[in-house]
Amino acid sequence: MPYTNPGGYNFGPMNLDGYGISLLSFIVVYTVFLLAACAYLWLQRNHPVLKMRKVSTMLMAVLTLHVFAFVVFTVYPLNGGWPCAVEFWAMSVYLPLGIGLWQIQNQQLLMVSRQQTELMESPDTYKNLLPPRKGGLGSGKYWMLRFKMWYQGISTKGKYEGFVFIGMIVQLIVSLVVYNISRKFNSYGIVSQPTLPGQCRRGWEWIPSVVWQFIFNFFFGPYLLFKIRNIRDAYQWRLQTIIAVIAGLPGTPIWFAALYAEKFVPVNKYWLPSMWFAPGMLAMELVTLGFPLYQMRKYNRDARETDQAVAQMEDKQRAGSLGSITVANPRSGSLARKLSGRMHCMEALDSCLRGNYDSLQVYASCKEFNGENIIFLTKVIAFKQAWTGLFNSFPKKTGAALDKDRNRMFRKALNIFVTLVHKGTSPQPINIDSSIYNRLDKMFGSATALVAMSKTSSRTSSLSAASSSATPWDDPQDISPVASVSETFDFFPMRPLSEASKGYGPGDAGSRERIISINEEYVDGPGNTGATTEGDPLESYEVPGDFGVDAFKDAYISIRYMVWTSTWQHYMDWKLKTGSSDTVGSVI
């Protein structure tokens, strides 16, 4: 049997020659491995490497694109077995839908880096919790204002996804119109003429199906590459995005040339025009799944090596043979250092957190995208220092003075919980065990609801009291549903934080807390008769009896260990490798 049918793709019997069988075998085996990889990533979607990648969108994009790729790989073996209408809908729905979802997934890197930048610049921001309402916001007259409130509450990522979704709806409507008016696909059309199956695959009807692919790959793709040009992440996410964007570039131009260029006629007998999309799609699928799988394997391997190093350190300490502290050799790899039981010591991390932690903060935010961990640790240190300053003074405070100071410290702690821990209000919540989170939520949850819902509730009442002469788009007062969050930050390369943008540091005697007032007039406790507390959501709130200096102890220990075993080791290795002036660090 010849490897290829001399007639090639000619709408005759099925092409079960060697070439046709090879195409079928490849796409079936590849599909099995792809589905297995997708299933594994979905089951591991809470893995630290995957949590930031929006796994659901990533898998939807890959699977949607693969439906189209599977169809085009079976076109030659079936030799016209797919009706023209099936190929039309595969080109008009699965291709643009997959490209749109893939583009949303590609934007995730830019969105995550922007969120980390915003977190560094404004660590005290939080998201409001929207309370349940009956009848909507205000009267029916204010429909444009309600839309404005809704729109302002959507993040940049949400708005981009909305625009893509609208584009998909437009694409579907256009495809329905084209399919129903063209006689190439049905007998009741009003334009074009019925054609033979081979001619059906040509014509203006197919152009809308590749418009999205062309626009995304030649406009949005390069624009995205420009926006992420300064990102140097530790997960090779930027490299993955570059490869995926470049891989999608050749598909549309070559497909168009294969349809209308005479020189492609011999090629089209065995490699159909639509198959020119396949190499780029397979490359997009491979990098979209392959890079996260590789990073997961690397993360798990590093975790095992770290556990071994920690165990060896503990054995040395128990045996009393810890010895002197040595300086890490910049030329020795982190693997050799870990396996020899030597790690950059935790005391150096503690010293950094209590001193100048700007460089560590920038590294964590810009390279590992976990800057919230450093902010949390430094805020907890500052909280404990403030507590010590208030309650370890002489003479000891009692009665109203003690209640006032406890109220003040509770507000400081609540600020930490709302901005960095609570899953509903924190822009980037820290990753802690559910048992630790539940204990903190029990302590701060009710106060969080009061604070995070207070602005929304006041906005609702203001709408109902607005003047009847106001226009539908009038804004009676500030109605931004997200407190102090700016979407205008552009990502920047590695650099120290400026004085104006430093986080809540341990040495910051004047708190940077902006979201929860700790003014004197607000901390006199329940039943005060002093200054007015109008507008204070915690006016009559009673501080829980179990609240104390160790409120965040378990969370602090968990995050500190996580930072020490991962971010701190990578950070010190990076400093040693780059040869910074302050790279001298000790290892155990």
Side-chain angles (χ1 to χ4, degrees):
M1 179 183 67
Y3 185 72
T4 58
N5 180 6
Y9 185 76
N10 57 5
F11 298 94
M14 294 179 62
N15 283 324
L16 297 180
D17 51 17
Y19 176 59
I21 294 176
S22 298
L23 290 176
L24 287 175
S25 301
F26 170 79
I27 197 60
V28 169
V29 173
Y30 176 81
T31 300
V32 170
F33 280 101
L34 181 134
L35 293 177
C38 290
Y40 178 76
L41 290 174
W42 177 252
L43 294 175
Q44 299 292 325
R45 60 189 179 277
N46 292 323
H47 192 280
V49 171
L50 297 179
K51 288 186 70 174
M52 69 184 76
R53 289 179 177 263
K54 203 168 185 181
V55 176
S56 58
T57 304
M58 178 178 73
L59 297 184
M60 286 175 61
V62 169
L63 293 175
T64 306
L65 284 175
H66 190 69
V67 170
F68 177 79
F70 188 91
V71 170
V72 299
F73 265 91
T74 60
V75 168
Y76 174 83
L78 294 181
N79 201 11
W82 290 115
C84 186
V86 172
E87 293 189 34
F88 173 82
W89 284 112
M91 283 278 290
S92 299
V93 175
Y94 286 102
L95 178 61
L97 179 62
I99 292 293
L101 292 171
W102 168 77
Q103 190 65 20
I104 291 175
Q105 190 273 330
N106 271 350
Q107 289 284 329
Q108 188 69 5
L109 169 60
L110 181 61
M111 296 299 105
V112 169
S113 62
R114 280 183 173 177
Q115 289 171 354
Q116 289 291 326
T117 301
E118 292 170 359
L119 191 63
M120 284 195 298
E121 299 289 342
S122 303
D124 295 323
T125 58
Y126 71 102
K127 298 182 293 184
N128 281 339
L129 296 174
L130 300 179
R133 304 182 185 89
K134 295 181 179 180
L137 295 175
S139 64
K141 182 176 182 179
Y142 293 96
W143 63 271
M144 290 190 68
L145 177 56
R146 292 197 300 273
F147 176 79
K148 180 181 177 182
M149 292 178 64
W150 170 79
Y151 185 78
Q152 289 183 335
I154 302 176
S155 64
T156 300
K157 179 176 65 175
K159 292 174 183 177
Y160 186 86
E161 292 174 356
F163 291 143
V164 172
F165 178 75
I166 293 173
M168 293 176 182
I169 297 298
V170 172
Q171 169 69 28
L172 181 60
I173 293 174
V174 171
S175 300
L176 283 171
V177 172
V178 171
Y179 180 82
N180 284 281
I181 66 173
S182 176
R183 294 192 183 96
K184 290 183 178 180
F185 309 113
N186 54 70
S187 59
Y188 51 83
I190 58 176
V191 297
S192 300
Q193 297 296 327
T195 59
L196 297 175
Q199 298 172 329
C200 176
R201 274 74 176 175
R202 296 186 181 186
W204 62 270
E205 293 89 350
W206 297 83
I207 294 178
S209 63
V210 296
V211 167
W212 268 49
Q213 202 267 357
F214 181 81
I215 292 176
F216 277 126
N217 287 325
F218 284 89
F219 292 95
F220 288 106
Y223 178 73
L224 175 62
L225 297 185
F226 174 78
K227 297 294 287 185
I228 66 173
R229 66 192 183 281
N230 291 324
I231 298 178
R232 300 293 185 271
D233 64 287
Y235 307 106
Q236 297 178 315
W237 202 348
R238 176 174 171 267
L239 176 61
Q240 169 194 331
T241 304
I242 292 174
I243 296 175
V245 170
I246 294 176
L249 292 176
T252 300
I254 300 180
W255 169 81
F256 196 79
L259 280 177
Y260 297 102
E262 293 296 331
K263 293 184 178 179
F264 273 89
V265 172
V267 178
N268 292 344
K269 293 173 60 178
Y270 302 101
W271 190 267
L272 281 76
S274 58
M275 294 180 69
W276 289 107
F277 291 108
M281 288 185 181
L282 297 186
M284 291 158 57
E285 294 173 1
L286 289 172
V287 299
T288 302
L289 299 179
F291 274 78
L293 288 171
Y294 169 76
Q295 291 299 330
M296 288 176 61
R297 180 177 177 275
K298 181 180 177 182
Y299 180 94
N300 294 336
R301 181 195 63 197
D302 290 345
R304 288 193 300 269
E305 294 170 359
T306 299
D307 291 341
Q308 294 175 14
V310 171
Q312 292 180 24
M313 287 169 51
E314 293 175 347
D315 292 341
K316 290 181 180 180
Q317 290 175 338
R318 285 193 294 267
S321 60
L322 184 59
S324 60
I325 295 177
T326 59
V327 177
N329 180 3
R331 296 177 181 175
S332 64
S334 60
L335 174 59
R337 173 173 50 75
K338 288 180 180 178
L339 292 180
S340 65
R342 299 185 302 155
M343 296 181 66
H344 300 288
C345 62
M346 188 177 289
E347 289 76 9
L349 170 62
D350 293 336
S351 177
C352 178
L353 293 174
R354 287 180 168 82
N356 182 11
Y357 59 89
D358 282 356
S359 180
L360 175 62
Q361 178 68 71
V362 174
Y363 176 88
S365 297
C366 298
K367 292 187 73 67
E368 297 200 351
F369 301 143
N370 56 11
E372 65 275 4
N373 292 336
I374 309 302
I375 296 175
F376 174 77
L377 293 177
T378 55
K379 279 195 172 188
V380 172
I381 292 173
F383 166 77
K384 296 180 72 172
Q385 289 179 348
W387 183 284
T388 302
L390 280 176
F391 294 101
N392 288 5
S393 59
F394 293 95
K396 296 292 185 179
K397 298 179 181 180
T398 59
L402 178 62
D403 291 340
K404 179 179 178 179
D405 284 344
R406 278 179 56 80
N407 199 321
R408 176 187 295 273
M409 294 309 302
F410 181 79
R411 291 170 185 265
K412 287 180 178 288
L414 182 60
N415 183 45
I416 298 174
F417 181 79
V418 170
T419 58
L420 292 167
V421 182
H422 192 269
K423 296 178 181 179
T425 59
S426 172
Q428 294 287 321
I430 58 174
N431 185 18
I432 54 178
D433 291 339
S434 59
S435 59
I436 300 176
Y437 177 84
N438 291 336
R439 287 197 295 271
L440 291 175
D441 189 56
K442 182 179 180 180
M443 184 180 298
F444 298 106
S446 57
T448 298
L450 291 174
V451 170
M453 291 182 181
S454 59
K455 288 189 176 182
T456 309
S457 299
S458 64
R459 293 183 193 120
T460 305
S461 61
S462 71
L463 288 176
S464 60
S467 170
S468 60
S469 61
T471 57
W473 52 84
D474 280 343
D475 190 351
Q477 65 175 8
D478 174 30
I479 50 85
S480 176
V482 180
S484 306
V485 177
S486 169
E487 294 290 347
T488 60
F489 287 105
D490 205 348
F491 200 81
F492 51 86
M494 294 286 291
R495 60 177 174 81
L497 293 173
S498 65
E499 290 296 324
S501 63
K502 284 186 179 181
Y504 178 101
D508 187 8
S511 163
R512 289 188 71 240
E513 299 187 39
R514 303 193 303 275
I515 64 166
I516 303 173
S517 174
I518 56 170
N519 213 324
E520 291 292 334
E521 63 190 52
Y522 285 173
V523 295
D524 288 336
N528 70 76
T529 58
T532 178
T533 58
E534 180 181 359
D536 178 18
L538 302 178
E539 174 183 357
S540 301
Y541 187 82
E542 294 186 8
V543 177
D546 57 346
F547 170 71
V549 65
D550 292 327
F552 295 104
K553 180 180 178 180
D554 293 338
Y556 181 86
I557 292 174
S558 175
I559 297 299
R560 177 174 174 249
Y561 182 81
M562 184 188 307
V563 170
W564 174 59
T565 56
S566 180
T567 303
W568 180 249
Q569 306 302 321
H570 299 160
Y571 168 70
M572 292 303 295
D573 289 341
W574 172 75
K575 291 179 69 177
L576 290 168
K577 182 178 179 180
T578 56
S580 286
S581 58
D582 58 342
T583 57
V584 178
S586 58
V587 295
I588 296 177

